[in-house]
Amino acid sequence: MLIAIDGPAGAGKSTVARAVADALGFTYLDSGAMYRCVALAELRGAEEPLRCAIELANGRATLDGEDVTDAIRTPEVSELASRVAARPEVRAHLVALQRAMIATGDYVAEGRDIGTVVAPDAELKVFLTASAHERARRRAEQTGGDAEQVLREQEGRDARDSGREHSPLQPASDALHVDTTGLSIDEVAQQIVRLAQAVR
Ligand code: DC
């Protein structure tokens, strides 16, 4: 079974997806971490970033065998990840990797295009949103940054993620929309777990 959770940065996708995966005993796939790995490889000057080995396991990300779990969370990598994610050859490569991963068992996969491109036949699709201010506030809390600056940077990435030609961020026509503004992550996760149990 596959549960697809898409939405913009800061909507609560990763926390919700992790909680749902834990509750159901599914594997969690953070597709954004893969775009971040490609961006980090580019930042480090890799000549062919798509040839670098990306692995996600047990909550850690590795790039050519090196643990880059923390290194892929810097603002520089966030900015470049949004740029590399607009390139069709990067998307094609990572979508193929993601499809191979989710074919191996039960997954909760989160990103921008899981329900629309990676797995349009997912049994359950959720599109998580929250107000731009709430999303920036959550990100700033996580990273220790300034909320106003996070908001400005987030607006640029949101516009690029939603406006790009290839696989823009958009809800699947059959996705369930959940606005997490003012809701606790637990409430949202429990709601999705109940839905998953109903369609299973
Ligand atoms: O979810 P995140 O912030 O870690 O994602 C990093 C970047 O990758 C973000 O700009 C959107 C992009 N992305 C994407 O285009 N498609 C995905 N499935 C996941 C992330």
Side-chain angles (χ1 to χ4, degrees), residues 6-7 9 13 30-33 35-36 73 78-79 81-83 85-86 91 98 110-114 118 139 157 161 164 167:
D6 291 302
K13 292 188 306 290
D30 173 2
S31 64
Y35 290 91
R36 288 171 178 275
R73 298 290 155 194
S78 298
E79 176 63 25
S82 166
R83 294 178 187 277
R91 302 207 70 84
Q98 290 154 17
E110 59 110 330
R112 305 294 190 288
D113 63 341
I114 306 296
V118 177
R139 269 281 149 115
R157 289 202 306 277
D161 292 344
R164 69 186 174 217
S167 310

